[in-house]
Every structure is written in structure tokens, then in C-alpha cells.
Amino acid sequence: MEIPYKDISINDIDSGKELVATLRPTWSTIKCKVFDSGITNKLFGYIGESCTDKNEMILLRIYGNNTSFIIDRKRELETHVKLNKSGFASPVYCRVNNGYLYGYVDGNTLTADSVRDPDIAPIIARAIAQMHCSIPITESEPIFYSTLCSWLKLLPDDLASGKLVALKSIIKDKGTLIDELEALNSKIASKSDLQIGFCHNDLLLENFIHNADKQSISFIDYEYGNTNYLAFDLGNHFDEYAGVETVDFNRYPDESYQKWWLRIYLEEVHKQKDLGTVSDDQVDNLFKEVNFFFIMWASLVGNLGNLPNSCVRCRL
């Protein structure tokens, strides 16, 4: 699919409105909305004043300054297109030098309460399973290790410089981080039976859109989507049960809940691949794999000390 390209850079909501007007010439009056103005992206919304369907809205994602050092924007766009073809994301309309325009998905982002709702959780489990089964991968190796290595290279050797000075009392030096990552990767590499496939790699609560009317789940924000360990994606999702702004790890799902959720996930995987009935052993094995990643990350954090929440969130 060839995505239309405009050789321009957009830095504010008004210049984005001018571009949208060329894409939707029948919109005589266009209403604008600021959705987000974060570090990695800015997000604006545009819709014709006479439109009655929210899904007609066009979103403009503007990349944050210097974020291309940690985010492969070309891959992000390719992932969005892949997810759209499989029914998990909105269409992409146009790309510009520093972002792209795409469709709006109506619904609500998940919360620490809605994610464990017994009516919504099964929809989430099936949607993740469908994504894992249906999106083709372009990389044969998981990006878990290579991505963290590339991020570590961006750190200065002296962690006492700039904004990193707060870490000096916790982490001896950059070499300590590298040694811990090597140990973590060795543990993971020793488990040769871990399944790989396409992973979202950033299954935050805010990256799920639940449509109550359609009883569906869509995914947003695909910066990190790529080949990875499927159990990592699931473990990352379970971590989110603890909350975001106010973190309470007592909310982390217990073994009984996880196995209930994982059985639903596996049943959908088996349905997609025509594999037959899910056994208790298969549920037990996936439970161990999912928590292996949680334990490995917790061990890394434990060795480094009591890192602040902003530093310990594992978001590939």
C-alpha cells in the first residue's frame, strides 16, 4: 500500500488543519482538538463541523524532537499499516516529514479497573491472541536484547552527568547496566522453547481502545511493534494491572486469575491455528513463561536498587 506523502513539516495544530482541508475538501468548517502533547508525540484531532460520526475524525501524530534515536518511525508506520490490514487499527491517510495522519478509533482507553472487568478481560485476551497470530513478522530474531542495547549506547559513560545524576547513587556506572542486561539476556536465551511472533511491545492500558457497543478492542501507538517473545507482551500487559499514576502491585493478577486469562488467550490462539483443545499443561507452561519475564525484570531492578517508578517501567 502506497501512503500519500507531503514534503512538509507540521509543528502546530493550525498548520495541520490546512493539510486536513486538502484531504477533506468538503469540510467547509473544521473543528480541532488537542489529544496529547507528550514527550514522544503530539496528537491533534480534526473533524468537519457537520460530521455526525466520530470515526470520520482524522488524527495527526507529530513526532517528538530527537525521538528517532530510540524509535524507528519507518517501522512504526509499517506496523500501523499491517495492523490496519488485519482489522486492529485505523487507516493511514497521509505522511509528512515529521509525522502522519490516520483515522480515529472510537471508544475508551482501559483503566486499572476496566482491564480486570470480567466482561472486558476476555475480549482483551482474544484480541491480543488474534494480533499475535495474524500479523506477519519481518525480523527473525526478538528485539528484546538488541533494542535495550541500542538504548544503552545512547547513555553517556558518566551517569553523573545531566539528568542522570539522580541515578549515580543507585547504579555504579554504565558498565553495571550492561552487565545486568547481559545476565538477563543469558537467562532468556537459555529458555529455547519461548515462542516468538509479532508483539505490540507497549501494551499500556492507554494503548487499548475498548468499544463497548461493538464489544471490541483496538490497539494504538505502535512505536515499538516488532518481533519479540510473545510471553513478554503478555507479562507487560499483566504489569499494567498495577496501575500507572498510582502503582499498587497488590493489584498484579494472582496465579488463578492469570491462568483463567491465559486459557482464554490460548483458546483463541488454537482457534486461529486450528490446534484443537487447550490442555492444563499448556496453560501452566505459558504461565511460567509470562512470569519468567516478570521475575527476570524484578531481579534486575532488585540488583540495581530501589529505582523510581519512571526508571523501572520496562517498555520495549
Side-chain angles (χ1 to χ4, degrees):
M1 173 185 176
E2 186 66 29
I3 301 171
Y5 168 67
K6 302 287 186 180
D7 187 16
I8 57 174
S9 296
I10 298 176
N11 296 303
D12 57 67
I13 196 168
D14 291 328
S15 55
K17 182 178 178 180
E18 294 174 7
L19 176 57
V20 170
T22 68
L23 299 176
R24 295 291 186 271
T26 60
W27 289 358
S28 57
T29 303
I30 299 176
K31 296 187 292 185
C32 310
K33 179 179 180 178
V34 177
F35 279 96
D36 187 32
S37 186
I39 297 174
T40 58
N41 298 298
K42 291 180 181 179
L43 186 63
F44 303 137
Y46 305 89
I47 191 169
E49 190 173 50
S50 60
C51 294
T52 58
D53 185 352
K54 286 183 180 180
N55 289 307
E56 294 186 64
M57 182 180 294
I58 293 179
L59 300 179
L60 168 62
R61 175 183 296 270
I62 299 176
Y63 305 143
N65 294 332
N66 300 317
T67 54
S68 60
F69 288 113
I70 61 172
I71 298 171
D72 185 334
R73 295 301 187 179
K74 180 175 181 291
R75 189 178 68 201
E76 174 189 5
L77 192 57
E78 291 173 348
T79 298
H80 192 144
V81 172
K82 285 182 184 178
L83 286 166
N84 170 249
K85 288 181 177 178
S86 296
F88 296 109
S90 59
V92 177
Y93 298 125
C94 178
R95 60 189 179 92
V96 296
N97 293 330
N98 63 332
Y100 66 100
L101 294 92
Y102 57 101
Y104 173 79
V105 177
D106 192 20
N108 297 305
T109 55
L110 296 180
T111 66
D113 291 323
S114 64
V115 72
R116 63 177 63 245
D117 185 298
D119 294 324
I120 298 176
I123 303 173
I124 298 168
R126 295 187 188 104
I128 296 175
Q130 291 163 8
M131 176 182 67
H132 284 171
C133 291
S134 61
I135 307 299
I137 59 175
T138 54
E139 304 287 339
S140 60
E141 294 295 323
I143 63 164
F144 184 88
Y145 178 69
S146 61
T147 299
L148 288 178
C149 283
S150 66
W151 288 359
L152 280 178
K153 288 179 181 178
L154 298 175
L155 290 177
D157 292 330
D158 182 7
L159 296 183
S161 62
K163 296 180 180 179
L164 298 174
V165 66
L167 298 179
K168 190 62 178 178
S169 62
I170 302 171
I171 305 171
K172 182 180 179 181
D173 51 35
K174 184 177 177 179
T176 300
L177 279 175
I178 294 174
D179 290 344
E180 294 291 346
L181 176 58
E182 292 291 345
L184 177 63
N185 190 57
S186 294
K187 288 284 188 181
I188 294 171
S190 68
K191 294 184 67 65
S192 59
D193 57 340
L194 289 172
Q195 297 293 308
I196 67 169
F198 175 84
C199 291
H200 185 284
N201 289 318
D202 196 22
L203 289 178
L204 313 181
L205 300 182
E206 298 92 335
N207 287 344
F208 292 87
I209 302 295
H210 173 238
N211 186 304
D213 293 332
K214 297 179 180 179
Q215 287 297 290
S216 64
I217 287 288
S218 299
F219 304 98
I220 61 174
D221 290 358
Y222 323 107
E223 293 100 317
Y224 308 114
N226 208 332
T227 306
N228 209 352
Y229 301 104
L230 301 181
F232 171 85
D233 233 13
L234 302 178
N236 183 197
H237 175 60
F238 284 151
D239 287 348
E240 291 301 309
Y241 278 61
V244 180
E245 298 300 329
T246 303
V247 177
D248 179 5
F249 277 105
N250 290 318
R251 296 175 65 91
Y252 185 79
D254 61 20
E255 179 176 348
S256 175
Y257 180 95
Q258 286 191 43
K259 287 185 175 180
W260 167 77
W261 192 102
L262 292 171
R263 181 176 293 278
I264 296 170
Y265 167 88
L266 282 174
E267 286 172 348
E268 185 63 31
V269 170
H270 282 220
K271 177 182 175 181
Q272 294 290 321
K273 298 184 176 182
D274 195 21
L275 296 177
T277 305
V278 174
S279 69
D280 290 343
D281 285 344
Q282 289 170 321
V283 174
D284 290 342
N285 288 338
L286 183 55
F287 170 77
K288 292 173 184 176
E289 290 176 5
V290 168
N291 285 275
F292 170 78
F293 280 97
F294 180 82
I295 291 168
M296 287 300 99
W297 178 249
S299 298
L300 171 61
V301 174
N303 286 338
L304 295 177
N306 296 317
L307 295 181
N309 181 55
S310 60
C311 297
V312 302
R313 293 185 63 82
C314 185
R315 297 181 176 181
L316 267 183

